[in-house]
Amino acid sequence: MNRIEIYETLKKRYNDSEFKEMCFSLGIDYENLGGATRNDKMLELVMLLERRERLPEIIHILSPQRATPHAQHPAFLQQAKSKIAAGELEEALQIMLNNVSSGSALEKSLLQVSGRFNLYKKSVTAGLLSPADKLLQENTLLANLLEVVDMAD
């Protein structure tokens, strides 16, 4: 697969959130890629990986044998969104973790949110948070989880 084929495949297969997730998994900061549009950024990514002699990594990601970058189960995403809307963060996290690919960038993001949630629970249990801080932390965690759900959607 040459760089033109890589670029064309990216344009066909990846929406914006999937492309951002792929950049994350490659250790490339999406926001630092040049270009104003998604297609511009895709072109910049291909050129960057070519300069760094990392094209085989993206070829592996794009190979037809590999699964798409995120789970293809909209039902679980809707379940997670419903739990988030109800303020049931722990349940939403569990639904997501049970349905994403192990080792994926999405799973890593979920595990980060889960770790912050566990710290929050310990702080609440120990009585370390004022009611205002508790509300602020809850809202921040919910926003973080919504971001991750949007990545998957």
Side-chain angles (χ1 to χ4, degrees):
M1 185 179 272
N2 65 39
R3 67 189 193 150
I4 294 168
E5 292 169 322
I6 293 168
Y7 174 65
E8 292 300 323
T9 302
L10 285 171
K11 288 193 316 184
K12 285 182 211 166
R13 284 198 209 163
Y14 287 80
N15 64 33
D16 199 43
S17 64
E18 291 168 334
F19 180 62
K20 286 178 184 177
E21 184 179 336
M22 185 185 57
C23 288
F24 178 79
S25 70
L26 288 166
I28 306 291
D29 186 351
Y30 174 86
E31 299 300 327
N32 286 336
L33 287 172
T37 67
R38 176 181 57 105
N39 288 352
D40 292 344
K41 289 182 180 288
M42 287 176 170
L43 184 59
E44 288 294 321
L45 176 68
V46 173
M47 292 188 312
L48 174 70
L49 293 175
E50 184 177 46
R51 284 192 305 272
R52 294 183 180 175
E53 298 180 1
R54 293 181 58 194
L55 285 181
E57 292 176 54
I58 197 164
I59 291 169
H60 176 71
I61 289 170
L62 297 176
S63 69
Q65 296 82 14
R66 285 192 40 107
T68 55
H70 59 59
Q72 295 291 317
H73 304 291
F76 90 82
L77 290 175
Q78 191 54 47
Q79 275 185 309
K81 287 178 181 180
S82 296
K83 294 293 183 184
I84 292 168
E88 298 170 356
L89 180 64
E90 192 163 15
E91 292 83 356
L93 274 168
Q94 199 57 51
I95 289 167
M96 293 290 293
L97 285 168
N98 288 339
N99 288 283
V100 297
S101 302
S102 181
S104 68
L106 187 56
E107 182 193 46
K108 290 175 186 170
S109 296
L110 284 167
L111 290 172
Q112 288 174 346
V113 174
S114 182
R116 289 192 295 269
F117 178 71
N118 288 331
L119 286 172
Y120 160 78
K121 284 190 336 186
K122 287 178 183 177
S123 297
V124 168
T125 302
L128 300 174
L129 298 176
S130 69
D133 287 339
K134 183 180 173 197
L135 184 61
L136 178 64
Q137 294 249 348
E138 286 172 1
N139 287 334
T140 302
L141 286 165
L142 286 168
N144 291 156
L145 186 55
L146 271 174
E147 262 180 50
V148 176
V149 170
D150 286 343
M151 264 177 54
D153 204 2

